[in-house]
Amino acid sequence: MLKGEGPGPLPPLLEQYVALRDQYPDYLLLFQVGDFYECFGEDAERLARALGLTLTHKTSKDFTTPMAGIPIRAADTYLEKLLALGFRVALADQVEPAEEAEGLVRREVTQLLTPGTVVEESLLTPEANYLAALATGEGYGLVFLEVSTGEFKGTVLFSRSALYDELFRHRPREVLLAPELLENEAFLKEFRKRFPVMLSEAPFEPVDLERIFGALEAPLALRRAAGAALAYARATQGGRLALKAFQRYDPGAFMDLSEATLKALEVFEPLLPGGKTLLSVLDETRTAPGRRLLRAWLRHPLLDRGPLEARLDRVERLVRDAPLREGVRRVLFRVHDLERLANRLLLNRATPKDLLALRRSLEALPELRRMGVLEHLPDLLHLAEEIGAALNEEVPGRLSQGGLIREGYDPTLDALRGRVQETLGFLARLEEKERERTGIPTLKVGYNAVFGYYLEVTRPYYDQVPPDYRPVQTLKDRQRYTRPDLKEKEKELLFAEAQALRREEEVFLELRAKVAQEAERLREVAQLLAELDVCAALAEVAVQRGYARPRFTGRLRIQAGRHPVVEVQGNFVPNDLDMTEARLIVLTGPNMAGKSTYLRQAALIALLAQIGSFIPAEEAELPLFDRIYTRIGASDDLAGGRSTFMVEMGEVAQILKGATEKSLVLLDEVGRGTSTLDGVALAQAVLEALHERGAYVLFATHYHELTRLDLPRVRNFHVAAEEVGLEGGLVFYHQVLPGPTLKSYGVEVARLAGVPEEVVHRARVILEGLLASRGEGEKVLFELLALDLNRLTPLEALQVLKRLQEMARGVLV
């Protein structure tokens, strides 16, 4: 059925639309009508709402229905918006020329587009575009498939938190959930809240990964997820996929970075809109595969020293050799996205422009080989030569436009083009010949799509028109004619042009097939270039920012360390961090002094080191951390009914369960969400537990009670600040020094933040009273402790108790 008004029946065009729409009920069908993609009925209303289009109507004799459409020439822009809004789109194209159709033009669905399966370059960003599939069994089977590059990998996870962390690291555009998860309302509600992406359905039939990809035997949950991803991707790609070998990976083989840690450290997303991230600071890559690989390295820092030292050696070589680094980056700038281009070759979707981009990329590679940075790079220059010999320097976007193949490349095509030129020459000579024969000086030969070639005569010369001219069109001041030999030549021309276009398409497809035979080697080249690109980018950042090479010695000692993101936004005070003797540092100091920055910079330096990057410090010795935990910043979960304190304790619980002697733990103001006594008690208990585990801990706090902990591997440090002037103005030095701070300076920070002066003044008065009361309270305590109860008579004991009670009441008034 189609929404509309009138008794019907539907006209043939709308019947064809409904038939195609019903084949793809989950998709928005865009239906080609001439130069537009149109929607009708309710789909037209959906399209108009989504894109802000004007809704019109398609009216026939007995039926009227809503209609909205987009021009095909601008389709990519609109399709990008629709995919971003979570639409699945089916493109129904005209598959025969209108002039050749017998009745209604035949249309077929030629593409299915979903957010997680697009392969069209114009609809993709340089980032990876993952489709994820999730099933249960013995744990959670999680699979990621990147259709545009062929990447296909998966893992098995055994906790909900590990699952969410892995999904957050990869940020898929579309997720397939197994039926048991889609039907689990509690899971579905939580999942939608954490990951606002399109959720789709697919058959979760297990596949034999060992047989198909040569992978190791996999559990049922993983095989089900892989089966769903394959089935869904094949359906959207018309059955064709070009996948790399399936990789089963273990997140435990890399540094563990939870969602909370990645957010707190601003690795991929800023805490505030418009802010910088670690990725944005490091991203000096020149190629799209390089950018994707840099993000992958940040997702999964390494744990093994050997591969890390190998990466650092490559970065250091490019740091030390400026001409080499600049030369490499200059060449890489000319290289296109070979990873996705190779995939389009395997899918038979590469365009003429793709092949020209491939030629330019391959022609740049010998320079890298001469520089000595990629001596083992496969030699594919013969492909560039073949493409250069076949294709013109400028080619149209579509095969049907012609003008692709160079003259001299294909003798058959040259012969057909010769026939076309011969006929065109006849038509060009015909105009001059007929002017001489008829004596009509204004006679000319013209062409339009309706009448084809014609002879045109203006009104003053109508009486000189020869009898063999047959009129076909009369205009205001001229007439157009044809004659049998002209129509015959026109047929010859159209036939020769059609043959030439068909042959040109055949030649191009043969060329593409020949190039596609080297697609796997192109993938290899793309991987090598991506690694070189990331190393060159890290070297460029190291030189620009004054980074140093880290050393992995098993000790944690950083000299003049800096926060890599904060320092690019203004002046920055470097600080040392030495934990060779202390495994736990209690850091005190006023708000805004830089405690959180100090904690974050230590973690970011460790993370950078374990992706193989130089680090923002004068020098550093580091252990290899198995994970980085953070509890920084206040947040609540109102929708889930959890307070800030509950969220904080949940994160602390995860840290206490997972922290080891190889973990780096950052804790900022733990316990502040409850009463002071509860907070101090909890904070001290947490510190003692982490001290017992031997983890590296940086603990920022305002609880001065924690600076008196008597634990062997605990040291106190503070961020320096000073009150100056009669009004008690506060100066932050952002310098981390040994020992605890003497004051919290909370009132002074409030004044700096703009709290009204009368409120600040009142707060000072109250604070002085509280401090005085604290002094009286200490007197009560000391006198009580000084009593020798064994020497007091019952009466004396009652008298002392009464006096202490009166003193205590004075404290509490």
Side-chain angles (χ1 to χ4, degrees):
M1 297 296 293
L2 190 67
K3 180 178 181 179
E5 297 178 356
L10 296 180
L13 181 91
L14 293 182
E15 285 184 348
Q16 188 182 50
Y17 174 83
V18 170
L20 290 173
R21 184 204 63 184
D22 290 348
Q23 292 179 34
Y24 302 93
D26 296 329
Y27 289 77
L28 179 71
L29 181 71
L30 295 181
F31 185 81
Q32 184 184 1
V33 182
D35 294 331
F36 278 77
Y37 281 127
E38 302 285 4
C39 286
F40 303 99
E42 291 181 351
D43 280 353
E45 295 174 342
R46 292 171 61 204
L47 182 69
R49 281 195 303 270
L51 300 179
L53 303 177
T54 300
L55 194 66
T56 59
H57 289 82
K58 172 74 173 175
T59 301
S60 63
K61 179 181 178 182
D62 297 312
F63 191 76
T64 298
T65 185
M67 180 175 75
I70 59 175
I72 291 178
R73 67 178 184 279
D76 286 346
T77 301
Y78 292 105
L79 289 171
E80 187 176 359
K81 291 180 182 177
L82 289 171
L83 292 172
L85 290 170
F87 281 87
R88 301 178 188 86
V89 180
L91 296 183
D93 289 305
Q94 297 176 182
V95 294
E96 64 177 341
E99 59 272 13
E100 296 181 11
E102 295 182 4
L104 191 64
V105 175
R106 187 161 54 89
R107 294 173 176 86
E108 294 177 359
V109 172
T110 57
Q111 290 186 73
L112 295 176
L113 305 175
T114 75
T117 61
V118 290
V119 297
E120 287 70 21
E121 192 69 13
S122 58
L123 301 177
L124 289 166
T125 68
E127 310 293 351
N129 193 77
Y130 286 116
L131 168 72
L134 176 60
T136 61
E138 295 180 3
Y140 293 100
L142 178 62
V143 162
F144 296 103
L145 194 159
E146 221 285 17
V147 179
S148 72
T149 65
E151 182 184 3
F152 190 31
K153 64 182 182 180
T155 187
V156 179
L157 303 160
F158 295 97
S159 71
R160 190 81 60 86
S161 61
L163 169 67
Y164 289 158
D165 288 343
E166 201 63 19
L167 282 165
F168 183 81
R169 277 191 280 269
H170 287 81
R171 306 308 296 268
R173 293 281 307 280
E174 189 174 1
V175 178
L176 308 172
L177 290 181
E180 66 272 17
L181 296 173
L182 279 173
E183 295 165 6
N184 185 331
E185 292 185 8
F187 176 88
L188 194 60
K189 180 179 178 182
E190 182 181 13
F191 193 93
R192 288 186 183 278
K193 184 177 67 176
R194 296 180 70 109
F195 302 103
V197 300
M198 175 182 284
L199 298 182
S200 302
E201 298 182 41
F204 275 74
E205 297 297 327
V207 295
D208 188 342
L209 292 171
E210 185 176 8
R211 180 179 61 81
I212 299 175
F213 295 104
L216 296 176
E217 184 177 351
L220 178 62
L222 189 61
R223 290 187 288 114
R224 289 181 67 214
L230 285 172
Y232 188 80
R234 284 191 179 120
T236 63
Q237 305 304 311
R240 290 188 58 84
L241 289 175
L243 301 182
K244 302 174 185 175
F246 180 82
Q247 296 291 323
R248 181 178 176 184
Y249 73 99
D250 177 12
F254 306 95
M255 178 195 281
D256 185 355
L257 296 170
S258 68
E259 177 182 348
T261 296
L262 291 171
K263 285 182 175 178
L265 298 181
E266 299 181 284
V267 176
F268 300 122
E269 298 176 351
L271 291 173
L272 297 175
K276 288 187 175 294
T277 64
L278 181 63
L279 176 63
S280 68
V281 170
L282 297 180
D283 188 17
E284 291 289 339
T285 55
R286 291 299 182 93
T287 68
R291 179 178 173 83
R292 291 194 290 273
L293 185 62
L294 174 59
R295 183 179 278 266
W297 284 11
L298 286 169
R299 278 199 303 264
H300 290 124
L302 301 178
L303 297 179
D304 296 330
R305 182 172 175 177
L308 278 175
E309 295 290 3
R311 286 184 187 177
L312 287 166
D313 286 344
R314 296 187 74 185
V315 174
E316 183 170 16
R317 180 187 177 190
L318 293 164
V319 166
R320 293 181 178 276
D321 193 335
L324 176 63
R325 182 180 70 255
E326 292 166 1
V328 165
R329 287 169 54 76
R330 185 172 58 250
V331 172
L332 288 173
F333 194 68
R334 293 154 48 193
V335 176
H336 294 257
D337 192 341
L338 294 183
E339 190 176 28
R340 284 177 171 163
L341 203 159
N343 215 53
R344 288 198 294 278
L345 280 169
L346 289 168
L347 292 172
N348 295 327
R349 289 187 175 181
T351 66
K353 289 183 181 295
D354 283 335
L355 292 196
L356 285 183
L358 175 59
R359 173 195 169 190
R360 290 190 293 269
S361 300
L362 295 178
E363 287 174 344
L365 300 188
E367 295 183 49
L368 295 176
R369 196 177 289 108
R370 287 193 295 270
M371 293 176 190
V373 289
L374 288 176
E375 298 90 342
H376 303 295
L377 196 66
D379 184 5
L380 296 175
L381 193 58
H382 64 282
L383 288 184
E385 294 170 349
E386 183 75 19
I387 295 168
L391 296 184
N392 288 316
E393 292 294 334
E394 297 292 333
V395 295
R398 291 181 295 178
L399 288 178
S400 59
Q401 293 176 275
L404 304 175
I405 307 301
R406 289 181 183 272
E407 289 186 17
Y409 181 75
D410 181 72
T412 303
L413 177 59
D414 289 344
L416 292 170
R417 284 174 170 171
R419 289 170 55 189
V420 170
Q421 292 303 315
E422 181 181 335
T423 306
L424 288 173
F426 167 82
L427 294 171
R429 293 190 299 274
L430 178 65
E431 184 175 294
E432 186 62 31
K433 180 180 177 182
E434 288 301 296
R435 282 183 181 180
E436 293 177 2
R437 182 170 82 91
T438 63
I440 303 173
T442 60
L443 185 146
K444 67 178 184 179
V445 176
Y447 176 84
N448 67 30
V450 177
F451 300 106
Y453 284 94
Y454 55 79
L455 298 153
E456 186 176 273
V457 177
T458 54
R459 181 180 295 276
Y461 301 99
Y462 284 176
D463 58 349
Q464 294 178 238
V465 172
D468 57 344
Y469 282 26
R470 182 171 62 85
V472 292
Q473 186 180 24
T474 300
L475 302 176
K476 180 179 179 181
D477 60 345
R478 65 197 65 204
Q479 269 194 323
R480 291 169 177 172
Y481 304 85
T482 187
R483 63 185 197 187
D485 63 334
L486 182 59
K487 297 306 293 181
E488 188 61 34
K489 285 294 182 183
E490 181 181 328
K491 289 180 182 178
E492 290 180 14
L493 176 62
L494 292 175
F495 182 72
E497 287 178 336
Q499 283 190 309
L501 281 174
R502 277 196 293 272
R503 180 56 189 166
E504 193 164 24
E505 184 173 342
E506 290 171 0
V507 172
F508 173 77
L509 294 178
E510 291 169 3
L511 173 67
R512 186 172 70 182
K514 185 183 298 185
V515 175
Q517 292 174 4
E518 300 284 8
E520 291 299 334
R521 296 180 75 195
L522 281 174
R523 281 178 165 173
E524 181 185 348
V525 169
Q527 180 63 30
L528 293 171
L529 293 179
E531 292 173 5
L532 177 62
D533 190 17
V534 176
C535 290
L538 294 178
E540 182 69 16
V541 172
V543 171
Q544 290 178 5
R545 301 293 174 192
Y547 288 9
R549 178 170 179 161
R551 291 180 292 135
F552 298 106
T553 63
R555 301 191 300 172
L556 177 52
R557 188 183 65 82
I558 300 170
Q559 183 174 328
R562 311 184 306 277
H563 191 297
V565 180
V566 175
E567 74 165 345
V568 303
Q569 301 176 66
N571 295 328
F572 192 87
V573 178
N575 277 294
D576 298 342
L577 173 63
D578 191 339
M579 300 183 75
T580 53
E581 297 181 1
R583 281 292 183 104
L584 198 156
I585 287 178
V586 176
L587 183 66
T588 50
N591 289 317
M592 299 171 54
K595 298 192 300 297
S596 296
T597 298
Y598 184 69
L599 267 59
R600 288 185 172 101
Q601 81 182 39
L604 288 170
I605 286 171
L607 192 159
L608 285 173
Q610 287 185 227
I611 70 167
S613 170
F614 280 31
I615 47 96
E618 288 184 3
E619 62 175 82
E621 297 178 66
L622 297 166
L624 287 170
F625 293 108
D626 61 359
R627 61 198 69 189
I628 296 175
Y629 287 112
T630 62
R631 195 330 72 197
I632 299 176
S635 61
D636 55 22
D637 179 10
L638 296 178
R642 300 196 304 162
S643 67
T644 298
F645 183 66
M646 179 65 81
V647 172
E648 176 185 306
M649 288 299 102
E651 293 179 4
V652 168
Q654 291 294 324
I655 293 171
L656 292 174
K657 290 175 184 176
T660 71
E661 63 180 10
K662 295 181 179 180
S663 302
L664 176 61
V665 180
L666 313 179
L667 297 171
D668 189 11
E669 306 294 353
V670 166
R672 64 183 167 184
T674 185
S675 70
T676 301
L677 291 178
D678 281 350
V680 171
L682 281 167
Q684 181 170 334
V686 169
L687 280 179
E688 290 173 352
L690 291 171
H691 181 270
E692 182 69 22
R693 286 162 175 73
Y696 290 87
V697 182
L698 294 173
F699 191 104
T701 185
H702 285 296
Y703 294 144
H704 293 277
E705 294 84 352
L706 300 179
T707 64
R708 296 193 287 271
L709 287 178
D710 185 18
L711 296 172
R713 295 190 300 276
V714 175
R715 298 291 183 273
N716 287 303
F717 284 82
H718 70 279
V719 184
E722 182 182 12
E723 287 181 282
V724 296
L726 297 176
E727 296 297 322
L730 194 61
V731 175
F732 299 117
Y733 294 110
H734 304 291
Q735 192 72 46
V736 177
L737 301 174
T741 188
L742 300 177
K743 295 179 63 177
S744 293
Y745 302 103
V747 175
E748 288 73 19
V749 171
R751 184 181 62 79
L752 290 174
V755 172
E757 189 59 40
E758 63 271 17
V759 176
V760 173
H761 177 72
R762 176 60 180 156
R764 284 200 183 102
V765 172
I766 295 172
L767 178 61
E768 290 170 2
L770 291 172
L771 291 173
S773 297
R774 180 178 177 181
E776 292 299 320
E778 289 179 350
K779 288 180 183 179
V780 175
L781 181 61
F782 289 144
E783 185 162 340
L784 181 62
L785 292 172
L787 289 175
D788 186 350
L789 298 180
N790 293 324
R791 294 187 178 184
L792 291 177
T793 66
L795 180 59
E796 287 173 334
L798 287 172
Q799 290 172 340
V800 169
L801 182 60
K802 181 180 180 182
R803 181 164 48 82
L804 291 176
Q805 187 183 59
E806 290 172 349
M807 291 173 64
R809 283 174 177 162
V811 171
L812 296 174
V813 171

